[in-house]
Amino acid sequence: MQLRNAFRTRVEEGVLRPGTRLPSSRQLAADLGVSRSVVVEAYEQLCAEGYFVSQHGSGTSVAAAARDEIGSALTPGDRTPTAALRDLRTGGLHASTFPGQDWIRAVSAVVTSAGLRELGYAPPSGLPVVRHTLAGYLGRVRGVRTRPDHLMITSGFAQGLALLCRELRDRGHDTVGVEDPGHPGEWEFIADAGLRPVGLPVDTDGIRVDALAVSGVRAVLVTPASQFPTGATLSAQRREQLVAWAEAVDGYIVEDDFDAAFVAPAQRMPALQSLAPDRVIYAGSASKVLAPALRLGWLATPPTLTTPIERLRAGWDLGCSSLEQLAFARLIDTGAFDRHLRRLTADIQKRRQVVHQFVARELPGATLRNGHGGLQAYLELPARCAEEALVQAARRRSVLVRGGRFYALRADDRPPALVVGYAGLRGTELGRGLAGIAGAYRETMGRTGSRTPRVTPTAEPSGTGVRGGR
Ligand SMILES: Cc1ncc(COP(=O)(O)O)c(C=O)c1O
């Protein structure tokens, strides 16, 4: 009975997960110093009660049914069949875009040749050989002017930002300018570092430098390639103004270049950092071009910041996984990364077109802002369209999407908006998600009709296939 009760409690608490294999009765009996029949009897009882399943040849394991009961018991409010939800929130990236075979080949090559150095501790800033490859790549693709010893490999942009904010605070900053609308997660990182994010307006040319100039801040975080979430590219004139501002206030610009790869070729500009490597801290990430799961990012720092940031990092962790750094560098060196990006960006362009056509056809009165970059469409809605009601109406149609308010730092009188992330869904699922938004829009605008939305599902990208062998 003791044994049975102990197992039952652990299954109910979720400590023993469904599918977990249990030790054989012989082994457990030996471990516990009891006779085997005691264990056999407890196992049989638990099988009869549905906690365990026993299969000939594969032993005893925790039953799958136990998971559902326990799952719903632990999370009573969340019984939504999540598989049916279509997620059009920003941040998602469809798993099929990950170049699985390329990655496996790169990791395999790295592991096969790894010696003591590769398997040991690396400098916290990253392996020199990887920084060398990355410096070359960023120069070639983004015009970034840096050297390997001013590059740091970080655990995503998130860690880079957290480190930078701490350094800024140590230098006497108590505020950081941020784009508004922008990314609420970043504002939290800034606040966690003891700094106050100050919202600055953006228009179709990107951040408004005139507002920045009177804000009193001396550091600003921007997304010049494609303003998140409006998609505006920072114009050439604004770039010059921004750099002049940083010189004038003896300040810093943090350039978040995480989704530059997805800017339409005609709109693409070199990194802002190339204009002023002493004033701009350049930050990139593998999250949108490979997968967030890798937690790989990089910072190119002005020489004055390199050593202080390295010192901060050394007290933070002991660097990122060397094997993953090496695999990433190998992808770049072999050309596999370039090939992957060509497929991925073509795929994203196609999805973007589908969304744009959908907006023109199915959302009368909605205006697409910018639309040449990013992995999301920022839609301004007619003033009479209640943003939150629209989000809720979409939710009732099993579509998750966010309103513009979610991305706004200050509550002001900006028009209602919807931000549709299109990187997480593809093919018919994207089509169905958009159809749900169309229905929600008609309902919210008070024009619910019986017309079936004519949303053409995207064709699964063919031929070049971003699946990369998955
Ligand atoms: C605005 C913005 N910057 C940067 C990133 C990348 O962050 P990380 O590298 O920490 O995943 C994201 C990820 O979605 C983002 O939305």
Side-chain angles (χ1 to χ4, degrees):
M1 258 166 64
Q2 282 177 359
L3 200 51
R4 189 193 62 184
N5 291 345
F7 272 125
R8 209 154 44 186
T9 309
R10 278 163 183 71
V11 172
E12 282 168 358
E13 287 174 349
V15 178
L16 284 176
R17 310 289 304 158
T20 303
R21 281 198 50 178
L22 297 150
S24 70
S25 53
R26 190 186 306 277
Q27 191 193 325
L28 187 58
D31 286 351
L32 297 177
V34 298
S35 87
R36 190 175 161 216
S37 64
V38 171
V39 179
V40 170
E41 204 179 315
Y43 276 13
E44 280 173 0
Q45 182 67 31
L46 288 158
C47 285
E49 291 172 4
Y51 285 85
F52 287 179
V53 283
S54 172
Q55 263 171 358
H56 223 67
S58 50
T60 306
S61 49
V62 179
R67 172 186 39 199
D68 302 337
E69 281 158 28
I70 292 158
S72 53
L74 290 180
T75 51
D78 186 20
R79 291 172 192 224
T80 325
T82 44
L85 288 176
R86 302 199 170 93
D87 197 344
L88 287 169
R89 294 173 299 182
T90 52
L93 191 60
H94 198 276
S96 63
T97 60
F98 185 66
Q101 290 303 326
D102 287 339
W103 185 255
I104 288 168
R105 265 194 293 276
V107 170
S108 170
V110 163
V111 171
T112 307
S113 61
L116 258 185
R117 192 169 357 154
E118 288 76 17
L119 291 170
Y121 293 103
S125 297
L127 287 164
V129 62
V130 175
R131 289 190 270 162
H132 185 270
T133 290
L134 195 56
Y137 176 79
L138 294 174
R140 168 166 71 82
V141 174
R142 300 292 299 132
V144 172
R145 285 158 56 194
T146 189
R147 294 197 328 230
D149 50 340
H150 294 305
L151 259 182
M152 174 183 283
I153 313 289
T154 57
S155 179
F157 171 65
Q159 186 187 37
L161 179 62
L163 284 167
L164 283 172
C165 287
R166 275 160 182 81
E167 175 57 21
L168 289 172
R169 195 194 51 198
D170 291 352
R171 286 175 176 248
H173 291 248
D174 51 18
T175 52
V176 173
V178 294
E179 296 164 327
D180 187 5
H183 197 301
E186 295 182 344
W187 308 332
E188 275 175 36
F189 274 103
I190 292 169
D192 283 349
L195 301 170
R196 185 169 56 86
V198 175
L200 300 158
V202 297
D203 60 21
T204 51
D205 283 338
I207 192 166
R208 290 254 311 275
V209 184
D210 54 344
L212 173 64
V214 295
S215 68
V217 306
R218 289 197 307 114
V220 67
L221 168 62
V222 286
T223 45
S226 167
Q227 200 276 321
F228 183 88
T230 66
T233 300
L234 190 66
S235 68
Q237 194 189 17
R238 290 274 170 90
R239 284 170 192 246
E240 278 171 21
Q241 289 171 354
L242 193 54
V243 168
W245 163 83
E247 295 286 354
V249 299
D250 188 21
Y252 287 111
I253 303 164
V254 183
E255 177 175 23
D256 177 4
D257 206 41
F258 79 112
D259 66 353
F262 305 108
V263 176
Q267 259 67 36
R268 224 170 270 162
M269 286 197 220
L272 176 71
Q273 190 265 6
S274 63
L275 293 181
D278 289 343
R279 290 286 167 201
V280 180
I281 301 136
Y282 176 87
S285 165
S287 288
K288 295 294 175 255
V289 286
L290 286 171
L294 293 176
R295 306 312 306 134
L296 267 181
W298 42 90
L299 283 182
T301 42
T304 46
L305 288 181
T306 302
T307 308
I309 300 244
E310 277 176 355
R311 242 185 246 132
L312 274 176
R313 176 74 188 271
W316 191 295
D317 61 18
L318 294 182
C320 301
S321 152
S322 296
L323 295 179
E324 297 206 340
Q325 291 180 47
L326 287 165
F328 180 47
R330 195 175 164 86
L331 276 193
I332 296 175
D333 289 336
T334 58
F337 190 56
D338 281 342
R339 287 193 294 279
H340 160 66
L341 272 189
R342 275 197 294 275
R343 294 188 298 254
L344 178 59
T345 51
D347 176 38
I348 292 294
Q349 297 273 10
K350 269 194 217 159
R351 285 190 242 182
R352 187 178 291 157
Q353 266 170 19
V354 168
V355 174
H356 290 188
Q357 285 162 7
F358 157 78
V359 173
R361 217 170 38 215
E362 301 293 340
L363 304 186
T367 316
L368 180 75
R369 254 175 88 170
N370 309 302
H372 306 294
L375 298 165
Q376 71 287 329
Y378 190 97
L379 310 176
E380 274 180 3
L381 307 170
R384 70 191 175 90
C385 183
E387 186 182 293
E388 189 49 29
L390 175 59
V391 168
Q392 291 309 324
R395 183 72 176 74
R396 285 194 294 280
R397 288 166 170 79
S398 301
V399 177
L400 298 179
V401 67
R402 291 194 181 113
R405 186 73 196 85
F406 178 84
Y407 302 90
L409 185 56
R410 295 155 304 147
D412 56 19
D413 56 358
R414 81 189 78 208
L418 198 66
V419 182
V420 181
Y422 47 77
L425 292 183
R426 64 199 313 218
T428 47
E429 278 305 296
L430 177 58
R432 290 199 183 108
L434 295 176
I437 290 180
Y441 186 67
R442 283 195 298 274
E443 179 189 323
T444 312
M445 295 289 282
R447 288 195 285 114
T448 314
S450 56
R451 193 167 64 99
T452 312
R454 287 170 291 115
V455 176
T456 322
T458 34
E460 284 290 333
S462 59
T464 51
V466 284
R467 279 157 287 196
R470 263 181 153 251

